[in-house]
Amino acid sequence: KGLISVDYSSKNYSSLQFKPANDPLFSNNNQQIDQDLTNAGTLRIGGEYRVSNWSLRAGYRNEQSPYKNKDIMDDLTGYSLGLGYTWGQTTLDISYDRAERDYSQQLFESGLTSSAAINNVQNNIIATIGFNF
């Protein structure tokens, strides 16, 4: 009738390294990475429930920012909803996905160098049709 899934992953962005490390440019980049980046986790939780030929789906995700300073880029939060119908060897799915993240962006190199506070919201509606052969 249904399922629930939980997925967690972790990436240590501070361990990234340009090589050769003794190159002055790469050395500066590696110091910047070590100074600014950290470990970031991603959590995804989803579920599906089937009623006859219909499938109802919902999900949630949270992606932690790889930056130590959350003003540069904050965590991403999102959710999704979906509806599917199966008849014979054919499926039709419609889903809605929303993701939101705050970050700051420096717009100019000189003069007005203040950062702009940006609230990035992405909304997607996707329809797919599938055929099993």
Side-chain angles (χ1 to χ4, degrees), residues 1-3 46-59 80-85 93-94:
K1 286 264 179 192
L3 64 93
E48 178 175 348
Y49 185 72
R50 296 216 33 147
V51 179
S52 186
N53 290 8
W54 293 93
S55 295
L56 306 169
R57 299 180 195 94
S80 60
L81 301 170
L83 178 66
Y85 186 78
D93 290 291
I94 298 174

mmCIF file of all heavy atoms in Angstrom, residues 1-3 46-59 80-85 93-94:
data_model
loop_
_atom_site.group_PDB
_atom_site.id
_atom_site.type_symbol
_atom_site.label_atom_id
_atom_site.label_comp_id
_atom_site.label_asym_id
_atom_site.label_seq_id
_atom_site.Cartn_x
_atom_site.Cartn_y
_atom_site.Cartn_z
ATOM 1 N N LYS A 1 0.815 -1.222 0.000
ATOM 2 C CA LYS A 1 0.000 0.000 0.000
ATOM 3 C C LYS A 1 0.843 1.264 0.000
ATOM 4 O O LYS A 1 0.442 2.266 -0.547
ATOM 5 C CB LYS A 1 -0.908 0.021 1.234
ATOM 6 C CG LYS A 1 -2.054 -0.913 1.154
ATOM 7 C CD LYS A 1 -3.232 -0.130 0.674
ATOM 8 C CE LYS A 1 -4.419 -1.039 0.549
ATOM 9 N NZ LYS A 1 -5.477 -0.432 -0.144
ATOM 10 N N GLY A 2 2.008 1.219 0.654
ATOM 11 C CA GLY A 2 2.793 2.447 0.711
ATOM 12 C C GLY A 2 4.198 2.213 1.210
ATOM 13 O O GLY A 2 4.586 1.096 1.540
ATOM 14 N N LEU A 3 4.939 3.286 1.256
ATOM 15 C CA LEU A 3 6.298 3.213 1.782
ATOM 16 C C LEU A 3 6.716 4.578 2.313
ATOM 17 O O LEU A 3 6.179 5.606 1.924
ATOM 18 C CB LEU A 3 7.292 2.737 0.713
ATOM 19 C CG LEU A 3 7.502 3.633 -0.499
ATOM 20 C CD1 LEU A 3 8.668 4.576 -0.292
ATOM 21 C CD2 LEU A 3 7.770 2.780 -1.711
ATOM 22 N N GLY A 46 10.618 10.909 2.410
ATOM 23 C CA GLY A 46 9.555 10.833 1.428
ATOM 24 C C GLY A 46 8.616 9.684 1.704
ATOM 25 O O GLY A 46 8.943 8.743 2.420
ATOM 26 N N GLY A 47 7.439 9.800 1.140
ATOM 27 C CA GLY A 47 6.455 8.745 1.302
ATOM 28 C C GLY A 47 5.566 8.625 0.076
ATOM 29 O O GLY A 47 5.405 9.577 -0.687
ATOM 30 N N GLU A 48 5.044 7.422 -0.085
ATOM 31 C CA GLU A 48 4.110 7.164 -1.174
ATOM 32 C C GLU A 48 3.017 6.257 -0.650
ATOM 33 O O GLU A 48 3.279 5.328 0.122
ATOM 34 C CB GLU A 48 4.812 6.506 -2.356
ATOM 35 C CG GLU A 48 3.870 6.176 -3.500
ATOM 36 C CD GLU A 48 4.589 5.631 -4.727
ATOM 37 O OE1 GLU A 48 5.821 5.703 -4.799
ATOM 38 O OE2 GLU A 48 3.882 5.114 -5.618
ATOM 39 N N TYR A 49 1.785 6.530 -1.058
ATOM 40 C CA TYR A 49 0.649 5.702 -0.662
ATOM 41 C C TYR A 49 -0.145 5.386 -1.927
ATOM 42 O O TYR A 49 -0.447 6.276 -2.732
ATOM 43 C CB TYR A 49 -0.225 6.441 0.357
ATOM 44 C CG TYR A 49 -1.343 5.594 0.886
ATOM 45 C CD1 TYR A 49 -1.094 4.555 1.770
ATOM 46 C CD2 TYR A 49 -2.655 5.831 0.495
ATOM 47 C CE1 TYR A 49 -2.123 3.765 2.254
ATOM 48 C CE2 TYR A 49 -3.683 5.047 0.977
ATOM 49 C CZ TYR A 49 -3.415 4.017 1.856
ATOM 50 O OH TYR A 49 -4.442 3.229 2.329
ATOM 51 N N ARG A 50 -0.469 4.112 -2.103
ATOM 52 C CA ARG A 50 -1.207 3.680 -3.291
ATOM 53 C C ARG A 50 -2.652 3.374 -2.930
ATOM 54 O O ARG A 50 -2.921 2.687 -1.952
ATOM 55 C CB ARG A 50 -0.559 2.441 -3.892
ATOM 56 C CG ARG A 50 0.845 2.758 -4.375
ATOM 57 C CD ARG A 50 1.265 2.072 -5.583
ATOM 58 N NE ARG A 50 0.217 1.819 -6.544
ATOM 59 C CZ ARG A 50 0.435 1.813 -7.848
ATOM 60 N NH1 ARG A 50 1.618 2.076 -8.307
ATOM 61 N NH2 ARG A 50 -0.523 1.540 -8.681
ATOM 62 N N VAL A 51 -3.565 3.880 -3.734
ATOM 63 C CA VAL A 51 -4.989 3.603 -3.615
ATOM 64 C C VAL A 51 -5.464 3.197 -5.008
ATOM 65 O O VAL A 51 -5.527 4.032 -5.908
ATOM 66 C CB VAL A 51 -5.774 4.843 -3.125
ATOM 67 C CG1 VAL A 51 -7.258 4.533 -3.046
ATOM 68 C CG2 VAL A 51 -5.238 5.353 -1.813
ATOM 69 N N SER A 52 -5.715 1.908 -5.161
ATOM 70 C CA SER A 52 -6.104 1.361 -6.458
ATOM 71 C C SER A 52 -5.034 1.716 -7.496
ATOM 72 O O SER A 52 -3.878 1.369 -7.312
ATOM 73 C CB SER A 52 -7.488 1.885 -6.853
ATOM 74 O OG SER A 52 -7.941 1.261 -8.028
ATOM 75 N N ASN A 53 -5.380 2.444 -8.537
ATOM 76 C CA ASN A 53 -4.418 2.820 -9.577
ATOM 77 C C ASN A 53 -3.741 4.159 -9.299
ATOM 78 O O ASN A 53 -2.931 4.617 -10.104
ATOM 79 C CB ASN A 53 -5.106 2.885 -10.946
ATOM 80 C CG ASN A 53 -5.498 1.522 -11.448
ATOM 81 O OD1 ASN A 53 -5.399 0.525 -10.738
ATOM 82 N ND2 ASN A 53 -5.955 1.447 -12.689
ATOM 83 N N TRP A 54 -4.059 4.789 -8.206
ATOM 84 C CA TRP A 54 -3.524 6.110 -7.869
ATOM 85 C C TRP A 54 -2.338 5.994 -6.910
ATOM 86 O O TRP A 54 -2.323 5.153 -6.022
ATOM 87 C CB TRP A 54 -4.605 6.974 -7.211
ATOM 88 C CG TRP A 54 -5.719 7.328 -8.139
ATOM 89 C CD1 TRP A 54 -6.889 6.653 -8.308
ATOM 90 C CD2 TRP A 54 -5.756 8.434 -9.018
ATOM 91 N NE1 TRP A 54 -7.656 7.271 -9.246
ATOM 92 C CE2 TRP A 54 -6.983 8.383 -9.704
ATOM 93 C CE3 TRP A 54 -4.885 9.478 -9.313
ATOM 94 C CZ2 TRP A 54 -7.358 9.326 -10.654
ATOM 95 C CZ3 TRP A 54 -5.260 10.417 -10.251
ATOM 96 C CH2 TRP A 54 -6.484 10.338 -10.903
ATOM 97 N N SER A 55 -1.377 6.887 -7.073
ATOM 98 C CA SER A 55 -0.237 7.005 -6.158
ATOM 99 C C SER A 55 -0.178 8.439 -5.644
ATOM 100 O O SER A 55 -0.204 9.391 -6.425
ATOM 101 C CB SER A 55 1.084 6.707 -6.873
ATOM 102 O OG SER A 55 1.140 5.378 -7.305
ATOM 103 N N LEU A 56 -0.128 8.583 -4.330
ATOM 104 C CA LEU A 56 0.000 9.892 -3.698
ATOM 105 C C LEU A 56 1.398 9.963 -3.081
ATOM 106 O O LEU A 56 1.800 9.059 -2.347
ATOM 107 C CB LEU A 56 -1.063 10.068 -2.619
ATOM 108 C CG LEU A 56 -2.508 9.834 -3.065
ATOM 109 C CD1 LEU A 56 -3.419 9.771 -1.849
ATOM 110 C CD2 LEU A 56 -2.942 10.945 -4.000
ATOM 111 N N ARG A 57 2.142 11.032 -3.369
ATOM 112 C CA ARG A 57 3.516 11.151 -2.890
ATOM 113 C C ARG A 57 3.744 12.499 -2.213
ATOM 114 O O ARG A 57 3.142 13.502 -2.587
ATOM 115 C CB ARG A 57 4.500 11.029 -4.058
ATOM 116 C CG ARG A 57 4.427 9.717 -4.780
ATOM 117 C CD ARG A 57 5.436 9.685 -5.940
ATOM 118 N NE ARG A 57 5.108 8.591 -6.831
ATOM 119 C CZ ARG A 57 4.357 8.691 -7.911
ATOM 120 N NH1 ARG A 57 3.861 9.848 -8.265
ATOM 121 N NH2 ARG A 57 4.107 7.625 -8.649
ATOM 122 N N ALA A 58 4.661 12.490 -1.235
ATOM 123 C CA ALA A 58 5.072 13.732 -0.572
ATOM 124 C C ALA A 58 6.508 13.566 -0.103
ATOM 125 O O ALA A 58 6.950 12.454 0.210
ATOM 126 C CB ALA A 58 4.159 14.046 0.616
ATOM 127 N N GLY A 59 7.240 14.676 -0.048
ATOM 128 C CA GLY A 59 8.623 14.609 0.391
ATOM 129 C C GLY A 59 9.091 15.906 1.013
ATOM 130 O O GLY A 59 8.497 16.975 0.805
ATOM 131 N N SER A 80 7.982 18.478 -1.692
ATOM 132 C CA SER A 80 7.378 18.103 -2.964
ATOM 133 C C SER A 80 6.085 17.326 -2.721
ATOM 134 O O SER A 80 5.909 16.693 -1.686
ATOM 135 C CB SER A 80 8.346 17.256 -3.790
ATOM 136 O OG SER A 80 8.675 16.076 -3.088
ATOM 137 N N LEU A 81 5.197 17.406 -3.682
ATOM 138 C CA LEU A 81 3.927 16.683 -3.671
ATOM 139 C C LEU A 81 3.739 16.074 -5.057
ATOM 140 O O LEU A 81 4.133 16.681 -6.061
ATOM 141 C CB LEU A 81 2.762 17.622 -3.379
ATOM 142 C CG LEU A 81 2.800 18.377 -2.052
ATOM 143 C CD1 LEU A 81 1.714 19.447 -2.021
ATOM 144 C CD2 LEU A 81 2.620 17.404 -0.915
ATOM 145 N N GLY A 82 3.155 14.902 -5.108
ATOM 146 C CA GLY A 82 2.955 14.273 -6.410
ATOM 147 C C GLY A 82 1.728 13.400 -6.453
ATOM 148 O O GLY A 82 1.254 12.907 -5.430
ATOM 149 N N LEU A 83 1.223 13.223 -7.662
ATOM 150 C CA LEU A 83 0.052 12.398 -7.903
ATOM 151 C C LEU A 83 0.324 11.594 -9.169
ATOM 152 O O LEU A 83 0.785 12.141 -10.174
ATOM 153 C CB LEU A 83 -1.187 13.276 -8.095
ATOM 154 C CG LEU A 83 -2.497 12.586 -8.416
ATOM 155 C CD1 LEU A 83 -2.947 11.739 -7.227
ATOM 156 C CD2 LEU A 83 -3.560 13.620 -8.745
ATOM 157 N N GLY A 84 0.062 10.299 -9.099
ATOM 158 C CA GLY A 84 0.292 9.444 -10.254
ATOM 159 C C GLY A 84 -0.880 8.527 -10.501
ATOM 160 O O GLY A 84 -1.631 8.190 -9.585
ATOM 161 N N TYR A 85 -1.025 8.138 -11.757
ATOM 162 C CA TYR A 85 -2.090 7.209 -12.119
ATOM 163 C C TYR A 85 -1.505 6.169 -13.074
ATOM 164 O O TYR A 85 -0.747 6.503 -13.991
ATOM 165 C CB TYR A 85 -3.257 7.934 -12.797
ATOM 166 C CG TYR A 85 -4.432 7.027 -13.062
ATOM 167 C CD1 TYR A 85 -5.296 6.670 -12.039
ATOM 168 C CD2 TYR A 85 -4.661 6.504 -14.325
ATOM 169 C CE1 TYR A 85 -6.372 5.822 -12.269
ATOM 170 C CE2 TYR A 85 -5.732 5.663 -14.573
ATOM 171 C CZ TYR A 85 -6.582 5.326 -13.537
ATOM 172 O OH TYR A 85 -7.642 4.484 -13.769
ATOM 173 N N ASP A 93 2.289 10.930 -14.266
ATOM 174 C CA ASP A 93 2.673 11.535 -12.989
ATOM 175 C C ASP A 93 2.714 13.047 -13.117
ATOM 176 O O ASP A 93 3.207 13.590 -14.119
ATOM 177 C CB ASP A 93 4.060 11.045 -12.544
ATOM 178 C CG ASP A 93 4.054 9.604 -12.135
ATOM 179 O OD1 ASP A 93 3.455 9.302 -11.092
ATOM 180 O OD2 ASP A 93 4.639 8.772 -12.860
ATOM 181 N N ILE A 94 2.225 13.713 -12.082
ATOM 182 C CA ILE A 94 2.309 15.173 -11.965
ATOM 183 C C ILE A 94 2.877 15.471 -10.586
ATOM 184 O O ILE A 94 2.426 14.906 -9.585
ATOM 185 C CB ILE A 94 0.923 15.835 -12.139
ATOM 186 C CG1 ILE A 94 0.377 15.533 -13.539
ATOM 187 C CG2 ILE A 94 1.006 17.332 -11.903
ATOM 188 C CD1 ILE A 94 -1.027 16.003 -13.764
#
